[in-house]
Amino acid sequence: MTYLAKPRLHHPTLPKNRRGYTRRDYEGAISTLCAGCGHDSISAALIQACFELDVEPHRVAKLSGIGCSSKTPTYFLGNSHGFNSVHGRMPSVLTGANLANRDLLYLGVSGDGDSASIGLGQFAHCMRRGVNMVYIVENNGVYGLTKGQFSATADRGSKSKRGVVNTDAAIDMAQLALQLGASFVARSFSGDKEQLVPLIKAAIEHRGAAFIDVVSPCVAFNNHAGSTKSYDYVREHNEAVNRLDVMVPRAAISAQYPPGSVRAITLHDGSTMLLHKLAADYDPGDRIRAMNYLAERQAQGQVVTGLLYAEAEPEDLHASLNTVSGPLNALGERELCPGAAALEKFNASLR
Amino acid sequence: MATPIEAVNDFVVKFANINGSGSASANALFAKAIMRMGVPVSPRNIFPSNIQGLPTWYEVRVSEQCHLGRRGGVDLMVAMNPQTWDRDLAEIEPGGYLFYDSTKPLARAKFRDDVTVIGMPLTAICNDAYSDARQRQLFKNIIYVGALAALLDIDADEVAELIGEQYKGKEALLKPNVHALQMGRDYARANLRCPIGLRVRRANAVGNRIFIEGNNATALGCVYGGATVAAWYPITPSSSVAEAFARHCKRYRTDPDTGKARYAIVQAEDELASIGMVIGAGWNGARAFTCTSGPGISLMQEFIGLAYFAEIPAVIIDVQRGGPSTGMPTRTQQSDLLSCAYASHGDTKHPLLFPEDPKEAFEMSAQAFDLAERLQTPVFVLTDLDIGMNERLCAPLEWDDTQRYDRGKVMTRAELDQGREFGRYLDVDGDGIPFRTYPGTHPTRGAYFTRGTTKDRYARYSEAGPDYVDNMLRLLRKFETAKSLVPKPELAAAKHPARFGAIFYGSTGPAMREALASLAAQGIYVNALRVRAFPFQDEIAAFVASHNKVFVVEQNRDAQLKTLLVNDAGVNPAGLIPVLHYDGTPITARFITDAIAAQVRKLNVRPIQSGKAA
């Protein structure tokens, strides 16, 4: 971490987005994570994605659990409300927040210890409920803050910094999210911003449970030979099945792509997602084939990245609950309290 | 042979049945018919954690004087369960009555000679009248209700009318039920001595009272209190709060134009998620609650502490039962006081509300949302199975349409625009309560990061000792403020100056009042204070100090309220005598009377004559 405070003044020519915000308006406090930590790259990607999508910073609620990854919401979107909740329980807090006000953008930030171990249950249930959110797991296979214990996403056979070999099978969060019914599933690598930023943008545009598993090496405890979550290992074994461009409605699609390799997908708000196929046989519209593909490649030691699955017409929890279109937290007595006359009728039915 | 008991409108009938045999609705019919005759009743289901087969009881207190607690003892036992015959028989008062199915002859030794035995061949009658096995079972219950109507002088037409209400629009069910009722009544009139010494006489003692389960009233209180988010996990005896909330919301909270819901109810994966959702919703400005029981409270501990320190409103309805998780899920207790009052790790304490009946359960549940938002903290409503899952006569529910929800200190966008200073944990008014903002309020002002205790007054990350202490002291000031906001205790002064006091709370209320009357009849006068909330107002400590000894009557083993009084109100423990009932059945007036009278005798204070203090 650095102790040098960033200057508050902006350069006058700093570009502004459609809402009049500069990139700096999406930043937060200075990171206290280790220099070179993958998580800081993810924070930077989040900042860039929100800036480019013209998201109003204060209309974002960022929630996290406990751990290094869960500290990061302090380091981006300083004008958003944030909530550092309890270990493994961010999904329930986010679900409740989302129920209270469906109009905000909910960003859940978690780690592999937080989501795959102590919080696996809550992770599972918020996915199957289809909470409208962007859920990012900053996955390094290790407990950083408590100094290097294996997490539940550490691969069987991988080696800890102290030389201990992990004997337990790994949980693949992306495969799990697919199985649980998440309507948007992606995987990326903190070292590949070109891939990550568009995935975050697409996840933000998605109106349903959007999950991104971001492999994010821990430079302090899990970046050595024998680790399967190190920069080197992931670079060597990364198989990107596609690349994304997310175009907001105002941007003209100018780039030319060879026919057949690109699919344009129109999103909920009219923006367009351009999907460049890298693996010819990979179809992110087919959940079951995606699950098979991931399982096959995992068996071969490959880390499949990219947009793994996106449902075209997702339904979220509010749709299932048939809630009113406005935020529940804005309703007052008139809409909520049946009043004395109704109570008198109720009393009469109980005599 | 003891003289048969003679009593009009003041007796106890207990039904011993087998769970799942359809007896519950027939027994409820019996109780309600008496109520319709203007005589107050107080029924209690004593049921097992089971769907079919285990013993279950239904005890009906009939009391024109409106003693709605359990009295203790049984005057008429309706013994329909051979499994529990011996202990059911033993429970009958000398001179009491036994009603049983005499189809199969029983050895003389199976009876008592100091009770009046009334046999009716119920099985034989049913076998003659019905060919279907399920019908034989179900109508047997209605037939005995008919017979009891004749035996106790209950107007069978009232029962028939209730059956009519129950099966309105379902003629196919209505007729055979009325027929079975008449069959029972006619058999009794022709073959049994009717009426017996216990009789119901029309009276006008019910007034405009309503007959309602506490959980139903609690749920409606949450609707009136403005709850929009409910998250829960099924657990006896609280599940029916959530189910009733869903019913009431469907009725009262469906947007008439769009058909959309002005509420969100989630059955969560466990209690941890339930409270997490409530906290998330509360943080985001919605009124939210969860309903649970003791094991759920245990699971929620970590989150409750977070809400305490992060100062997030939350309402937790705890319908108490016997513990622990596999313990006595269908039995009542008041045993969660300490685990709720000090829920979580670190230095925490939380307001508790103690409703005594469905009416107060309604009021306090609604009020809990105001308190939670005013104080920005979790607030517990502590009912129990006795209040929650039994129908109880109580005053009609009331609502004042002029009252407004107290949404607490929430800084608005306009106030932020005017340049008002915002510090999330800044004590601007000296009452320990800071201002909060809802997420999404303002583009550049008022956002803050919520975390536990590592923060300063402006919600900036801080592990500095003085910041921690500063925050903890403010939380204490806030708890002090809570004293002035929570419901005040209710004093019932004895007719004559009294050296003894009694403190009680919650479902103990009705039995306590009957006990106080019985004690007064023995010349033992006791001033009684019903505590309705924690933190304790100063008058509670003053009450203890002004009496020689104070009995603290509770339904738990460890005298939990007494512990709280000593610990938090600075009460001298030497002045307190615990009176504890914790076998899982609701406390009885006789138990309280006997315990206090025995203590008074032990204290060597002899009641001499009425008109003088004991």
Side-chain angles (χ1 to χ4, degrees):
Chain A
M1 66 173 284
T2 172
Y3 293 97
L4 297 175
K6 290 180 192 172
R8 274 180 175 262
L9 286 173
H10 296 175
H11 194 279
T13 60
L14 211 56
K16 289 183 175 173
N17 64 13
R18 204 160 53 112
R19 300 269 185 191
Y21 293 105
T22 70
R23 247 184 80 107
R24 298 292 312 276
D25 294 321
Y26 293 86
E27 292 177 354
I30 292 167
S31 170
T32 61
L33 301 175
C34 308
C37 176
H39 298 356
D40 283 334
S41 308
I42 300 171
S43 295
L46 277 162
I47 289 167
Q48 191 178 330
C50 289
F51 170 72
E52 289 178 6
L53 276 185
D54 308 315
V55 170
E56 289 182 284
H58 73 293
R59 303 301 290 171
V60 181
K62 38 181 192 169
L63 297 100
S64 61
I66 297 292
C68 291
S69 56
S70 291
K71 279 174 168 271
T72 65
T74 310
Y75 317 137
F76 58 83
L77 295 172
N79 282 320
S80 308
H81 276 66
F83 196 156
N84 203 175
S85 68
V86 297
H87 201 15
R89 319 293 175 206
M90 172 274 284
S92 63
V93 181
L94 189 151
T95 302
N98 183 298
L99 291 174
N101 182 0
R102 61 190 299 174
D103 286 353
L104 302 184
L105 167 63
Y106 292 91
L107 188 54
V109 178
S110 181
D112 39 305
D114 201 52
S115 280
S117 295
I118 188 169
L120 188 63
Q122 295 215 342
F123 168 81
H125 290 278
C126 77
M127 291 302 159
R128 57 180 275 272
R129 283 190 190 103
V131 179
N132 182 14
M133 63 182 170
V134 178
Y135 192 127
I136 294 178
V137 165
E138 307 189 344
N139 184 356
N140 56 20
V142 79
Y143 285 85
L145 269 184
T146 53
K147 305 199 171 173
Q149 300 83 1
F150 284 120
S151 87
T153 63
D155 289 306
R156 177 177 273 164
S158 65
K159 221 182 250 176
S160 80
K161 201 175 177 183
R162 289 181 204 143
V164 181
V165 175
N166 180 33
T167 53
D168 298 344
I171 292 174
D172 182 327
M173 301 296 283
Q175 289 190 47
L176 202 55
L178 280 169
Q179 200 274 325
L180 290 165
S183 46
F184 179 106
V185 180
R187 177 148 48 212
S188 189
F189 173 45
S190 65
D192 186 355
K193 209 169 168 183
E194 265 69 60
Q195 184 192 44
L196 179 56
V197 174
L199 285 175
I200 294 173
K201 285 161 78 173
I204 289 174
E205 293 292 335
H206 184 81
R207 301 297 149 97
F211 173 67
I212 312 178
D213 175 22
V214 188
V215 183
S216 174
C218 173
V219 289
F221 297 106
N222 207 11
N223 196 31
H224 47 268
S227 157
T228 59
K229 298 276 192 288
S230 66
Y231 280 108
D232 288 347
Y233 184 92
V234 179
R235 285 201 181 103
E236 280 160 27
H237 296 81
N238 187 346
E239 186 208 337
V241 288
N242 48 40
R243 290 240 161 221
L244 266 188
D245 278 328
V246 176
M247 331 291 283
V248 289
R250 68 198 154 89
I253 299 170
S254 56
Q256 295 297 311
Y257 301 101
S261 69
V262 177
R263 217 172 87 204
I265 303 160
T266 306
L267 296 171
H268 181 86
D269 66 343
S271 51
T272 307
M273 188 164 81
L274 291 181
L275 189 78
H276 309 252
K277 278 193 170 187
L278 298 177
D281 56 341
Y282 195 85
D283 175 10
D286 187 331
R287 187 189 292 271
I288 293 169
R289 283 180 61 192
M291 286 162 70
N292 283 336
Y293 192 94
L294 259 65
E296 282 165 20
R297 296 304 153 110
Q298 187 189 35
Q300 295 161 16
Q302 291 295 101
V303 183
V304 177
T305 60
L307 175 65
L308 304 179
Y309 176 72
E311 207 167 294
E313 301 282 339
E315 281 224 329
D316 83 331
L317 178 59
H318 279 282
S320 320
L321 295 175
N322 192 34
T323 47
V324 287
S325 55
L328 289 176
N329 72 354
L331 300 176
E333 281 97 344
R334 215 166 53 82
E335 294 94 359
L336 300 179
C337 185
L343 198 56
E344 196 32 64
K345 272 190 204 154
F346 179 75
N347 284 327
S349 72
L350 297 167
R351 288 183 177 124
Chain B
M1 168 88 194
T3 319
I5 298 169
E6 293 277 334
V8 177
N9 292 354
D10 184 15
F11 52 88
V12 176
V13 181
K14 191 167 182 174
F15 298 82
N17 298 101
I18 298 168
N19 208 30
S21 67
S23 60
S25 53
N27 297 345
L29 215 54
F30 169 84
K32 225 173 163 186
I34 298 173
M35 190 184 82
R36 286 286 177 89
M37 289 176 70
V39 180
V41 289
S42 179
R44 282 178 171 78
N45 255 311
I46 298 162
F47 60 100
S49 177
N50 162 264
I51 300 300
Q52 209 168 58
L54 285 184
T56 182
W57 294 269
Y58 188 79
E59 188 178 298
V60 184
R61 176 73 201 277
V62 179
S63 166
E64 188 173 344
Q65 289 179 66
C66 213
H67 288 311
L68 300 177
R70 267 182 94 209
R71 184 196 70 184
V74 175
D75 302 312
L76 165 62
M77 178 65 76
V78 181
M80 305 304 295
N81 186 358
Q83 291 174 79
T84 57
W85 177 272
D86 291 339
R87 64 169 142 150
D88 293 335
L89 207 68
E91 224 183 315
I92 306 172
E93 295 284 297
Y97 302 83
L98 167 72
F99 178 88
Y100 80 110
D101 181 353
S102 60
T103 304
K104 277 186 190 167
L106 275 171
R108 212 187 133 72
K110 295 298 273 179
F111 296 93
R112 271 169 57 181
D113 55 12
D114 61 343
V115 301
T116 304
V117 176
I118 307 157
M120 178 166 167
L122 287 164
T123 304
I125 293 172
C126 284
N127 288 353
D128 284 349
Y130 306 100
S131 52
D132 176 73
R134 186 66 186 155
Q135 279 192 339
R136 284 175 174 171
Q137 174 64 62
L138 291 176
F139 287 125
K140 193 200 297 190
N141 302 319
I142 300 293
I143 290 171
Y144 76 59
V145 170
L148 290 172
L151 288 165
L152 299 173
D153 235 359
I154 297 168
D155 189 343
D157 288 347
E158 293 286 7
V159 189
E161 200 177 314
L162 284 165
I163 293 175
E165 289 170 26
Q166 194 176 336
Y167 297 110
K168 204 172 168 185
K170 297 176 196 161
E171 299 300 319
L173 290 168
L174 173 66
K175 274 191 184 158
N177 272 286
V178 173
H179 176 69
L181 178 80
Q182 287 165 346
M183 199 157 46
R185 182 196 57 188
D186 295 346
Y187 179 92
R189 280 184 182 167
N191 301 286
L192 305 171
R193 261 180 81 175
C194 297
I196 57 170
L198 310 175
R199 284 184 302 279
V200 180
R201 190 170 59 208
R202 268 191 194 280
N204 196 12
V206 172
N208 70 343
R209 287 189 184 88
I210 60 168
F211 196 53
I212 183 174
E213 282 184 5
N215 283 354
N216 190 6
T218 300
L220 193 66
C222 293
V223 173
Y224 273 74
T228 51
V229 176
W232 66 292
Y233 185 75
I235 181 170
T236 304
S238 74
S239 303
S240 55
V241 174
E243 286 158 357
F245 182 71
R247 256 191 341 264
H248 292 314
C249 279
K250 200 169 175 199
R251 179 166 174 198
Y252 297 117
R253 290 277 195 76
T254 302
D255 186 303
D257 300 326
T258 61
K260 298 263 183 186
R262 291 171 178 159
Y263 60 93
I265 303 171
V266 177
Q267 183 188 314
E269 58 270 30
D270 54 28
E271 286 89 345
L272 285 80
S274 307
I275 188 68
M277 288 178 202
V278 168
I279 289 168
W283 174 74
N284 211 0
R287 293 192 151 191
F289 79 97
T290 185
C291 46
T292 187
S293 192
I297 298 291
S298 295
L299 288 168
M300 293 176 187
Q301 296 279 314
E302 185 184 20
F303 253 135
I304 291 167
L306 175 74
Y308 173 81
F309 290 115
E311 297 181 67
I312 296 166
V315 172
I316 300 160
I317 312 280
D318 177 9
V319 187
Q320 297 171 93
R321 66 183 219 187
S325 54
T326 57
M328 303 227 284
T330 60
R331 307 296 153 130
T332 195
Q333 269 185 1
Q334 298 177 315
S335 51
D336 296 343
L337 261 71
L338 291 175
S339 68
C340 291
Y342 301 127
S344 205
H345 53 280
D347 293 318
T348 53
K349 41 188 170 181
H350 317 283
L352 315 176
L353 308 180
F354 306 122
E356 76 158 353
D357 66 2
K359 162 124 169 137
E360 269 195 352
F362 170 80
E363 289 169 355
M364 288 185 178
S365 300
Q367 187 188 6
F369 293 94
D370 276 359
L371 287 170
E373 290 205 313
R374 170 54 51 185
L375 294 164
Q376 297 177 27
T377 202
V379 172
F380 292 79
V381 181
L382 288 182
T383 68
D384 58 26
L385 185 144
D386 187 33
I387 300 172
M389 290 189 73
N390 289 307
E391 285 180 301
R392 183 69 42 82
L393 265 184
C394 63
L397 309 182
E398 289 170 281
W399 188 260
D400 175 4
D401 279 335
T402 62
Q403 78 185 65
R404 289 286 160 264
Y405 295 154
D406 177 5
R407 304 301 312 261
K409 297 185 188 178
V410 180
M411 208 173 276
T412 61
R413 182 171 180 149
E415 288 168 314
L416 290 163
D417 271 332
Q418 285 156 20
R420 215 173 146 188
E421 187 189 19
F422 176 73
R424 175 64 184 98
Y425 301 106
L426 208 54
D427 186 5
V428 279
D429 302 318
D431 56 4
I433 306 171
F435 273 83
R436 61 179 181 140
T437 52
Y438 296 155
T441 298
H442 194 283
T444 53
R445 290 179 196 151
Y448 66 94
F449 204 86
T450 303
R451 46 172 80 81
T453 48
T454 46
K455 65 199 179 195
D456 66 8
R457 293 175 175 187
Y458 292 87
R460 293 174 299 217
Y461 189 85
S462 168
E463 295 181 18
D467 285 334
Y468 182 87
V469 173
D470 176 66
N471 187 52
M472 294 303 277
L473 290 175
R474 183 182 53 74
L475 286 169
L476 270 189
R477 283 199 296 283
K478 188 167 89 165
F479 205 62
E480 196 61 29
T481 302
K483 277 188 192 175
S484 62
L485 299 174
V486 298
K488 292 200 180 326
E490 193 182 77
L491 176 74
K495 261 200 297 188
H496 301 285
R499 293 167 54 207
F500 296 110
I503 286 178
F504 64 101
Y505 57 100
S507 66
T508 303
M512 188 72 206
R513 270 181 218 104
E514 184 176 358
L516 290 168
S518 304
L519 287 164
Q522 296 176 33
I524 300 171
Y525 297 103
V526 179
N527 291 325
L529 190 72
R530 182 164 70 92
V531 171
R532 301 203 301 152
F534 174 74
F536 304 123
Q537 294 88 351
D538 296 342
E539 60 208 90
I540 296 173
F543 175 85
V544 176
S546 66
H547 289 86
N548 197 316
K549 293 282 179 195
V550 172
F551 301 101
V552 186
V553 185
E554 308 188 52
Q555 300 185 55
N556 59 61
R557 185 195 69 181
D558 290 344
Q560 298 193 18
L561 187 83
K562 175 177 166 272
T563 303
L564 268 184
L565 285 167
V566 171
N567 203 32
D568 249 80
V571 165
N572 179 3
L576 302 176
I577 302 174
V579 174
L580 305 169
H581 183 278
Y582 51 90
D583 69 0
T585 60
I587 196 167
T588 67
R590 285 185 182 171
F591 172 85
I592 301 170
T593 308
D594 294 349
I596 291 182
Q599 287 286 348
V600 168
R601 277 196 298 276
K602 223 162 73 184
L603 290 162
N604 257 344
V605 182
R606 191 172 302 140
I608 301 165
Q609 60 199 70
S610 93
K612 279 209 176 157

